[in-house]
């Protein structure tokens, strides 16, 4: 009687099939030394980076996941963590390079490292689940569970990374690299988590079908069937049309530009305000019939127009010239000693804003500094943030009228808030039966001529599809654009130019499936990982103990029978 052997060498999750009672071609890890696996992890991370703007190669997303999956399969958790950290750094260091453009490499590399640590943790957990599952006898079901751990791990990792600490930083998710690919449509069904799951699932299938021995003919029944099923499902979903009907709503984006690039862009705050006033006056002269509203970006008035008479007069000049509501991005000197990053809606004939929205998620280390004395030990740049920003409470819907008399809501989000699933979802679902347009007001002057602007625009494109809403994305210095509910762009501007763009995005009502399911995909991903962990406990196991009896080598006749 022979006993199956589990080879302790971490570079092979399964030993060769001959003589151990397992079918030839059973799923196993690559026979690679650590340097080879590190190379796979680095290339995989770089592939994920290349999916984001400005490279925009969405097809490399599954390739990157496949390479990282191949690197960690069969390794111990601690080795997988090292591989994940290296792969994460290969992705986040170039992707987040804009974060150090004016503050130096320390904050940039610190942010990239923190983000990469989440990938390291994910790889360690997935590798541990793999090792538990691979102790079970090899079957198609077992190998499917091994593959499933990869996309579940990615979704759970992005969920945690976007939530903790300090509210998280959900930038550079797999989903945000798919805005120029067919998988973007999946956002309407499950938001960014479902798009990430699809990218990672395709990557895991690619790994198992191409990199491992699943391509052997005798395993065709295991590998081809799920791959064909996955392809058919994706084809059906991506072929589903995304509704783009609604009420045309004329809006004008005013990109005023700044006198200079960098952290001191607002050193001439009055000049920035004047630029937006002049831009609105020029647009009003050109437009003829006033639009439903003129949209200014974040920081268009860093002088508080509620307390400074000069700033108030300038804003009033713009509103009078526009003959239409003007949505102003302003910094308010309240509540003392903090300040507020706000959207103020001014209407013609009124000398004060009729509605306001205050940013709910100030950015740590940019708009407030937690544990300032501790982080000053690493960089004195924390003292550039002299005053903390207060948190707003709740979203806002600001009704305006189209020239045709229809009433639609403008629903603002400010800057990085667009990256947080819950904030945008709450803004959309507060009044789901009222037609609305999402407005993303941002200021990208502090990131120079980097990909930060286009990365943020890509996130807005996903939000448009996810919530079935048009988005008016307006930046102080660019990139600004109108985004249709299917994610397509119009009126896109260039960086560091003054521009006024008129468009007619459609206002729509209702809730998408993604709005209805909310965070359920992320909850299911977390529960799925727990279930896979426990799935590796039951059933017969194959382990080589110190005193275990090794199997008798098979005879030639038995080998022929196994081959048959």
């Amino acid at each position: 009687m022979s006993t199956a052997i589990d080879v302790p060498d971490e570079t092979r999750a399964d030993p060769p099939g001959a003589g151990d009672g397992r079918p030839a071609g059973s799923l196993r890890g690559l026979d690679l030394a650590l340097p080879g696996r590190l190379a796979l992890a680095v290339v995989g991370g770089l592939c994920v980076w290349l999916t984001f703007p400005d490279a925009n190669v969405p097809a490399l997303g599954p390739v990157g996941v496949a390479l990282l999956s191949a690197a960690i399969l069969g390794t111990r958790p601690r080795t997988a963590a090292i591989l994940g950290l290296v792969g994460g750094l290969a992705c986040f260091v170039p992707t987040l390079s804009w974060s150090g453009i004016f503050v130096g490499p320390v904050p940039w590399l610190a942010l990239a490292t923190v983000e990469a640590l989440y990938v390291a943790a994910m790889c360690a957990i997935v590798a541990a689940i793999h090792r538990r599952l691979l102790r079970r006898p090899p079957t198609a079901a077992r190998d499917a569970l091994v593959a499933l751990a990869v996309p579940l791990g990615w979704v759970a990792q992005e969920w945690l990374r976007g939530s903790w600490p300090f509210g998280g930083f959900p930038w550079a998710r797999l989903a945000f690299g798919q805005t120029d690919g067919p998988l973007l449509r999946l956002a309407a069904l499950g938001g960014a988590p479902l798009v990430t799951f699809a990218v990672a699932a395709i990557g895991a299938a690619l790994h198992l079908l191409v990199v491992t021995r699943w391509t052997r003919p005798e395993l065709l029944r295991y590998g081809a069937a799920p791959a064909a099923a996955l392809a058919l499902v994706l084809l059906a979903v991506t072929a589903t049309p995304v509704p783009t009907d609604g009420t045309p709503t004329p809006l004008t984006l005013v990109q005023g530009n700044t006198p200079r690039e960098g952290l001191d862009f607002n050193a001439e705050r009055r000049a920035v305000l004047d630029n937006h006033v002049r831009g609105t006056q020029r647009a009003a002269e050109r437009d003829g019939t006033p639009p439903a509203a003129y949209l200014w970006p974040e920081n268009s008035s860093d002088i508080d127009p509620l307390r400074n008479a000069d700033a108030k007069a300038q804003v009033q000049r713009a509103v009078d010239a526009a003959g239409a509501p003007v949505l102003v991005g302003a910094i308010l000197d309240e509540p003392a000693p903090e300040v507020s990053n706000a959207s103020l809606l001014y209407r013609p004939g009124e000398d004060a804003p009729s509605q306001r929205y205050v940013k709910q998620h100030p950015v740590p280390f940019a708009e407030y500094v937690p544990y300032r004395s501790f982080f000053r030990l690493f960089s004195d740049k924390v003292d550039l943030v002299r005053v903390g920003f207060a948190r707003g409470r709740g979203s806002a819907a600001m009704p305006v009228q189209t020239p045709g008399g229809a009433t639609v809501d403008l629903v603002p989000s400010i800057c990085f808030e667009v990256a947080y699933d819950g904030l945008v979802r709450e803004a959309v679902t507060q009044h789901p039966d009222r037609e609305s347009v999402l407005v993303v007001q941002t200021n990208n002057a502090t990131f120079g001529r980097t990909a930060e602007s286009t990365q943020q625009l890509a996130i807005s494109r996903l939000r448009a599809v996810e919530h079935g809403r048009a988005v008016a994305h307006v930046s102080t210095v660019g990139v600004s654009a109108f985004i249709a509910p299917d994610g397509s762009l119009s009126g896109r501007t260039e960086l560091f130019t003054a521009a006024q763009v008129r468009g007619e995005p459609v206002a729509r009502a209702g809730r998408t499936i993604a709005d209805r399911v909310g965070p359920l995909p992320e909850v299911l991903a977390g529960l799925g990982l727990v279930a896979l962990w426990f799935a590796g406990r039951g059933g017969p196991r194959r382990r080589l103990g110190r005193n275990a009896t090794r199997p008798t080598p098979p005879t030639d006749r038995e080998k022929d029978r196994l081959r048959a």
Side-chain angles (χ1 to χ4, degrees):
M1 178 178 177
S2 65
T3 304
I5 301 173
D6 192 19
V7 176
D9 179 4
E10 71 171 16
T11 62
R12 293 194 311 183
D14 288 344
D20 62 1
R22 278 177 283 175
S26 177
L27 176 62
R28 63 175 185 169
L30 291 176
D31 292 320
L32 286 178
L34 184 59
R37 293 178 179 273
L38 288 171
L40 285 178
V42 169
V43 176
L46 292 174
C47 284
V48 174
W49 161 53
L50 291 173
T51 64
F52 304 120
D54 291 324
N56 285 324
V57 188
L60 288 178
V63 175
V65 172
L67 292 173
L68 189 56
S69 176
I72 69 171
L73 180 63
T75 63
R76 293 185 176 90
R78 61 177 176 269
T79 304
I82 295 171
L83 295 167
L85 179 63
V86 170
L89 288 172
C91 171
F92 291 118
V93 168
T95 303
L96 302 177
S97 60
W98 46 263
S99 62
I101 193 70
F102 291 114
V103 296
V106 173
W108 160 36
L109 297 177
L111 177 60
T113 301
V114 169
E115 298 295 283
L117 286 172
Y118 289 94
V119 181
M122 173 195 73
C123 289
I125 293 170
V126 170
I129 291 173
H130 281 174
R131 290 180 68 82
R132 292 171 70 88
L133 290 172
L134 292 174
R135 291 171 184 162
R136 299 175 63 89
T139 63
R142 182 205 71 169
D143 291 349
L145 293 179
V146 170
L148 182 61
V150 175
L152 292 179
W154 275 96
V155 174
Q157 171 260 129
E158 291 185 349
W159 183 18
L160 181 61
R161 184 161 60 87
S163 306
W164 183 87
F166 312 124
F169 186 64
W171 209 265
R173 297 160 74 177
L174 287 181
F176 297 157
Q178 297 299 311
T179 51
D180 282 322
L183 295 180
L184 176 63
R185 291 174 177 267
L186 292 173
L189 301 180
L194 182 58
V195 179
T196 286
F197 181 89
V199 175
I202 295 172
L206 180 65
H207 165 211
L208 297 180
L209 290 171
V210 177
V211 182
T212 72
R213 298 176 63 185
W214 272 37
T215 51
R216 291 185 56 169
E218 64 268 26
L219 293 173
L220 189 61
R221 64 185 181 276
Y222 295 146
L230 179 61
L232 288 175
V233 170
L234 291 175
L235 178 63
V237 173
T238 55
T240 302
V242 177
T244 56
D245 60 315
T247 301
T249 305
L251 296 170
T252 298
L253 309 179
V254 180
Q255 179 177 302
N257 203 10
T258 60
R260 67 188 70 180
E261 304 174 22
L263 294 176
D264 60 347
F265 75 94
N266 62 352
E268 300 180 43
R269 296 181 297 169
R270 175 57 190 270
V272 175
L273 174 58
D274 289 346
N275 286 350
H276 288 87
V277 172
R278 285 192 295 267
T280 304
Q281 292 171 326
R282 285 193 293 266
E285 293 173 0
R286 180 204 61 202
D287 287 344
T289 302
Y294 289 86
L295 307 179
W296 290 12
E298 178 189 25
N299 295 119
S300 49
S301 179
D302 270 359
I303 308 173
D304 185 348
L306 304 185
R307 291 167 174 78
N308 184 284
D310 188 42
K312 178 180 178 179
Q314 286 295 95
V315 172
Q316 197 61 53
R317 284 180 55 198
V319 176
D320 292 343
V326 177
L327 185 64
V328 177
I331 301 300
L332 306 181
D333 296 326
E334 60 180 63
E338 297 177 308
V339 297
S340 297
N341 194 346
S343 300
L344 307 177
L345 185 67
Y346 287 83
R347 301 180 186 275
E350 301 177 359
D351 62 356
S354 59
Q355 286 181 277
R356 74 170 66 181
Y357 167 74
V358 175
K359 187 175 184 179
Q360 301 177 72
H361 196 295
V363 179
F365 306 104
E367 293 176 321
Y368 76 99
V369 179
Y371 308 112
R372 185 186 296 266
S373 59
F374 172 75
F375 286 106
R376 190 183 291 113
L377 299 175
F378 302 94
S379 175
D380 60 359
K381 299 296 184 181
V382 298
D383 292 325
L384 291 173
V385 183
R386 293 185 294 273
V387 181
F389 280 66
R391 291 179 177 272
R393 297 188 177 183
S395 52
M398 304 178 179
V400 295
Q401 278 198 327
T402 69
T407 299
V408 302
D409 287 342
L410 302 179
V411 181
S413 297
I414 299 178
C415 199
F416 284 6
E417 286 188 321
V418 72
Y420 293 87
D421 296 349
L423 289 178
V424 185
R425 186 188 308 120
E426 176 192 352
V428 171
T429 58
Q430 61 173 337
H431 301 297
D433 298 327
R434 288 160 48 174
E435 292 186 325
S436 61
V437 173
L438 303 181
V439 180
V440 177
Q441 297 171 284
T442 185
N443 170 36
N444 309 110
T446 54
F447 305 115
R449 300 179 184 273
T450 67
E452 187 275 341
S453 298
T454 47
Q455 289 174 11
Q456 190 177 43
L457 182 67
I459 300 173
S460 289
R461 293 178 64 185
L462 184 138
R463 297 303 180 205
V465 178
E466 178 180 6
H467 302 293
R469 296 292 195 277
V471 178
H473 185 103
V474 58
S475 169
T476 314
V477 300
V479 176
S480 303
F482 289 108
I483 307 170
D486 63 358
S488 58
L489 295 173
S490 62
R492 174 173 163 162
T493 65
E494 299 298 325
L495 278 172
F496 291 98
T497 58
Q500 306 88 42
V501 181
R502 179 158 176 162
E504 288 197 357
V506 294
R508 302 187 72 252
R511 293 189 295 173
T512 63
I513 295 176
D515 291 328
R516 296 178 187 276
V517 302
L520 182 61
E522 296 163 315
V523 174
L524 292 177
L527 294 176
L529 284 177
V530 174
L532 288 181
W533 174 264
F534 286 104
R537 296 183 60 185
R541 298 192 179 189
R542 302 171 289 104
R543 182 182 300 275
L544 178 62
R546 178 172 297 178
N547 299 318
T549 302
R550 293 184 179 273
T552 303
T555 64
D556 291 338
R557 180 178 298 179
E558 288 172 336
K559 290 180 180 179
D560 292 338
R561 180 172 55 80
L562 286 172
R563 292 193 188 99

